[in-house]
Amino acid sequence: MENYKDFEWINAELLPDEYVLWKGKPSDKHILSTSDIVFIPFSIIWCGFALFWETGVLFSDSPFFFKLFGIPFVCVGLYMLFGRFIHQKILLKETFYVLTNRRAIFYRKRKIAYCDYLSENNIQIKLKKNGIGTISFGSADNGFSNGDWVFGNFKSGFSEFVNIPDAQSVHRLITQKKIQK
């Protein structure tokens, strides 16, 4: 549920003659992606082997270095299996989107980026069956993106409205504004 205080920052960002058409937050539900079909089994194998290695080394007469060597692999395995979902949920809770009559505005952790969607030719929408979707503004190297998140399909940059409820209606607003331009 959106809280008015979550969007207080937008008042200082609006230009003269600019007004809000839509504001929202990404959904923190349904964060699995198609890449997880491969990545989750890989994470289980990685984590299982790392835990097997570390357990075997800890209960043997192996040198101290071998006991330390497996710890980073266990940590990476646990992150791939569980931590990435927690990290993704935290990022989604700290992300806010605003669509105005002139710009798309992206806010995360007190960082703000803008996209002039009216002059952007490459706007795409990816919808899930439940209506949640992602709207991409331009290509991945349009200056707003910090690159793909390493573990999963979550874009950490500012070039997309990621995982937004009722993405089709937001896309319709964008299309109508582009036609009116």
Side-chain angles (χ1 to χ4, degrees), residues 27-120:
S27 171
D28 63 350
K29 296 170 180 49
H30 312 289
I31 58 176
L32 290 175
S33 67
T34 54
S35 64
D36 286 323
I37 293 169
V38 173
F39 201 70
I40 289 174
F42 175 78
S43 301
I44 292 169
I45 292 168
W46 177 292
C47 194
F49 181 76
L51 287 169
F52 174 76
W53 165 276
E54 192 61 27
T55 305
V57 169
L58 286 175
F59 294 108
S60 71
D61 292 337
S62 299
F64 184 68
F65 171 75
F66 284 147
K67 294 179 182 185
L68 291 178
F69 181 78
I71 293 173
F73 291 95
V74 170
C75 291
V76 168
L78 291 172
Y79 180 80
M80 288 190 309
L81 202 55
F82 304 110
R84 67 189 180 106
F85 295 111
I86 296 167
H87 182 231
Q88 189 172 355
K89 280 198 174 245
I90 291 169
L91 284 177
L92 291 174
K93 285 182 191 253
E94 297 173 345
T95 302
F96 304 93
Y97 305 123
V98 175
L99 184 70
T100 72
N101 59 321
R102 296 167 66 179
R103 303 179 291 169
I105 305 174
F106 313 87
Y107 178 92
R108 179 182 291 146
K109 289 186 177 181
R110 289 176 258 139
K111 292 180 185 174
I112 300 173
Y114 313 94
C115 175
D116 177 11
Y117 69 89
L118 294 174
S119 62
E120 181 60 58

